[in-house]
Amino acid sequence: MSKKFLYILSILLLLNGIISGCNNIIDDDSEGYYPIEVEAVIDPQFTSSSRGVKLSATNLSSFGVWGFFNNVARVRDVSFTKTGSTWRGSRTITWATGAMNFYAFSPSFSICLNTNSTMLQNPKYVVYESPVDVDSQVDLMYSSIYGIKKTDNNGKIKYSFRPAMHYIGYTGKNAIGTEYKVFIKEIILHNIVSNGNFVYNATTANLGSWTIASGTNAKYINMRKVLTTPIELTATNKQLISPEYFIIIPQSCTMWRTSKTNPIPITTADANHNYYIETVAQIIKVENGVDTYLLGNPDNSDPEHPQYESVYFPAAAKTFRINAGSTLPINFNGGYNEEGLPYLENNDRGDGVDIEVSEWMDFDFEIEEWTPIYEDLIF
């Protein structure tokens, strides 16, 4: 048998391994044996329906896996994707002879920064930065399994994923009065830290926590959501972005505080990284069948006052916890202008319109715990 024939045969066998390797984990007696050492070839794709929506058993469609034996990486960022009811891996990976630890991250490790270095540290962690655009946000879930052997669970690996992020929804209510119409077109949440490390618990499976970037390392972003259709607020609370959410890294925030006796301008809030809500909206005074625009305009014909304009609201200072969601209420009393003064009492719109509104009052928001552990994924 010639050397050339053996060379060609080895290439064919390697290609066959790559093709057949896109399936589930294979039992093998070898110690961390890698039949193929290649980069993951599957890059998870996301549809619009998965953006800004919390993951669950029904829409979890991809995740990445790292596996360690004696603290040495034997499974390096293998991607699994779901087609129909079948999960398939980007390449074949095999068992070591002893107990292994596995770390999973959904939708994949590829959305994190510095994955190759951070997953080799102890304790294991990933570095993540949230996108600015809410419509580009992807929910993150995690799972870890420690001390598992191929003889356990008939050689199957069972992942139970937990939410890693915090979900923010909004309600809106017209608190000015029935003689006013209020329409909201956009919601912007200001001064949220977008970067941090998610650290897997070193001793307990399916636990982890965030270390938020601070000081000069912290990146603050303003998360914006443009509503598909402007929503008119009424005296009854309305859900504003459901079923979507602002998906943020869990963190503690300090609110912007202002009042007409002690106004704090928006520039100061931004300089101090205080968080607040901006709405792009309209306020219309309705009297004797005549509409007077106090905020916004019927169209964009006036360059000084476009169709929708910004007003600002403080947001209750709270800690946004992991594995939980919040509903932030916008009790629309007219809001504040850029100087931190009540907008409706400090504008030159509408002759003969004199309005005095109640100041913003501190109050709690609702917390919803995402307690269920999502679908067990068995391979």
Side-chain angles (χ1 to χ4, degrees), residues 183-187 225-231 279-282 307-308:
F183 294 89
I184 290 184
K185 182 183 180 182
E186 298 180 35
I187 301 171
K225 176 62 182 178
V226 179
L227 304 181
T228 304
T229 303
I231 294 178
T279 65
V280 181
Q282 291 176 334
Q307 188 174 10
Y308 292 86

Side-chain angles (χ1 to χ4, degrees), residues 12 43 50 64 99 107 113 145 202 231 235 243 267 284 298 300 302 312 314 325 329 337:
L12 291 174
D43 184 17
S50 69
L113 304 177
I145 305 168
I231 294 178
T267 53
I284 306 170
N300 288 307
D302 183 352
Y312 307 91
N337 62 19

Side-chain angles (χ1 to χ4, degrees), residues 14-209:
L14 178 59
L15 290 174
N16 180 66
I18 293 175
I19 295 170
S20 65
C22 295
N23 49 34
N24 295 335
I25 293 174
I26 295 177
D27 288 337
D28 192 284
D29 287 330
S30 58
E31 184 174 310
Y33 171 65
Y34 269 111
I36 310 164
E37 187 68 58
V38 298
E39 293 297 318
V41 296
I42 294 179
D43 184 17
Q45 300 295 310
F46 308 105
T47 63
S48 58
S49 62
S50 69
R51 301 182 183 201
V53 178
K54 69 184 181 74
L55 289 172
S56 68
T58 57
N59 61 9
L60 181 65
S61 60
S62 63
F63 62 93
V65 172
W66 282 69
F68 291 80
F69 175 64
N70 289 337
N71 210 33
V72 175
R74 295 301 181 93
V75 179
R76 297 174 179 270
D77 197 11
V78 176
S79 296
F80 286 87
T81 54
K82 191 174 185 179
T83 304
S85 59
T86 303
W87 287 92
R88 301 185 71 84
S90 57
R91 66 177 183 268
T92 300
I93 57 179
T94 58
W95 288 96
T97 54
M100 297 184 68
N101 295 340
F102 291 94
Y103 301 84
F105 204 67
S106 177
S108 70
F109 282 103
S110 64
I111 67 174
C112 301
L113 304 177
N114 302 322
T115 298
N116 289 333
S117 61
T118 56
M119 285 305 294
L120 297 179
Q121 304 299 316
N122 193 16
K124 307 299 183 294
Y125 67 95
V126 296
V127 181
Y128 182 70
E129 184 175 332
S130 299
V132 175
D133 183 11
V134 171
D135 290 328
S136 297
Q137 292 175 354
V138 178
D139 192 11
L140 306 180
M141 300 183 75
Y142 70 98
S143 179
S144 57
I145 305 168
Y146 297 159
I148 184 173
K149 301 177 181 179
K150 71 173 184 176
T151 54
D152 299 332
N153 197 32
N154 295 320
K156 304 292 185 181
I157 295 183
K158 186 178 189 180
Y159 295 97
S160 294
F161 281 84
R162 308 186 77 172
M165 305 294 275
H166 188 96
Y167 314 91
I168 297 178
Y170 295 88
T171 59
K173 179 180 179 181
N174 181 354
I176 308 175
T178 56
E179 65 272 32
Y180 299 91
K181 292 181 181 179
V182 176
F183 294 89
I184 290 184
K185 182 183 180 182
E186 298 180 35
I187 301 171
I188 304 115
L189 186 63
H190 285 259
N191 295 319
I192 295 296
V193 178
S194 66
N195 57 319
N197 296 351
F198 177 79
V199 184
Y200 287 89
N201 187 286
T203 59
T204 306
N206 281 334
L207 285 181
S209 60

Side-chain angles (χ1 to χ4, degrees), residues 203-265:
T203 59
T204 306
N206 281 334
L207 285 181
S209 60
W210 286 92
T211 301
I212 301 300
S214 60
T216 57
N217 293 323
K219 298 180 181 180
Y220 292 89
I221 61 173
N222 305 324
M223 293 186 169
R224 177 189 300 266
K225 176 62 182 178
V226 179
L227 304 181
T228 304
T229 303
I231 294 178
E232 181 177 4
L233 302 185
T234 66
T236 303
N237 268 325
K238 285 185 177 180
Q239 294 286 340
L240 299 182
I241 63 172
S242 180
E244 296 179 331
Y245 297 84
F246 285 34
I247 300 177
I248 71 169
I249 295 176
Q251 59 191 270
S252 294
C253 296
T254 302
M255 71 181 292
W256 166 58
R257 295 179 180 274
T258 189
S259 68
K260 60 184 175 183
T261 57
N262 184 30
I264 306 297

